[in-house]
Amino acid sequence: MQPKKERVAATNHNPSNDLTVKDLSKGNKNPDQYSVCFAEFFKAPQTMKMVSVKTGIDRANICRYVRTMRKAKLIKVLKIDYCPITRYKATYWTTNPQLFPIDLQGKLF
């Protein structure tokens, strides 16, 4: 019985073959998930579940992207209504500035 040969070629690590996030986005014809979510919320006010079903992006990721957009003040709550998919009350979000609700709090004083 002969001893097993080690796979040297498969385990060699070449640092020049490492890809960074910047390299992956270059020439990539598929936009990243954040941009897809932003575009979907811009088209029409939707719930996170509606965007998840339309795009195939996991709802947990969409929740994280909405949090990031809220901190940057890029997304607003338009209304709270029943979701046609889940049949539960849900928040409808929009990234379209023309649809942002008017802030009455600043006009009180």
Side-chain angles (χ1 to χ4, degrees):
M1 188 180 249
Q2 295 179 357
K4 291 184 179 179
K5 294 182 180 178
E6 292 183 32
R7 296 184 187 180
V8 177
T11 59
N12 281 348
H13 179 70
N14 186 356
S16 64
N17 291 337
D18 289 346
L19 293 175
T20 62
V21 175
K22 189 175 180 181
D23 293 332
L24 291 173
S25 62
K26 283 185 181 177
N28 189 0
K29 295 183 180 175
N30 296 330
D32 60 340
Q33 290 183 349
Y34 181 87
S35 299
V36 171
C37 288
F38 186 89
E40 282 297 317
F41 284 120
F42 192 86
K43 288 178 188 176
Q46 301 177 57
T47 65
M48 290 186 231
K49 179 66 174 178
M50 292 166 69
V51 172
S52 176
V53 169
K54 283 184 181 180
T55 61
I57 299 171
D58 189 30
R59 189 163 38 167
N61 291 348
I62 294 173
C63 184
R64 186 171 50 249
Y65 303 143
V66 167
R67 182 187 67 215
T68 304
M69 287 186 254
R70 282 179 60 199
K71 287 182 178 180
K73 298 183 181 181
L74 296 173
I75 193 167
K76 298 277 183 166
V77 175
L78 188 66
K79 63 180 178 177
I80 297 176
D81 201 3
Y82 289 96
C83 176
I85 298 170
T86 62
R87 308 273 194 253
Y88 288 96
K89 280 192 174 182
T91 305
Y92 281 76
W93 299 92
T94 184
T95 55
N96 189 346
Q98 295 176 347
L99 299 177
F100 283 0
I102 299 170
D103 184 23
L104 298 176
Q105 183 68 30
K107 297 180 181 180
L108 289 177
F109 300 105

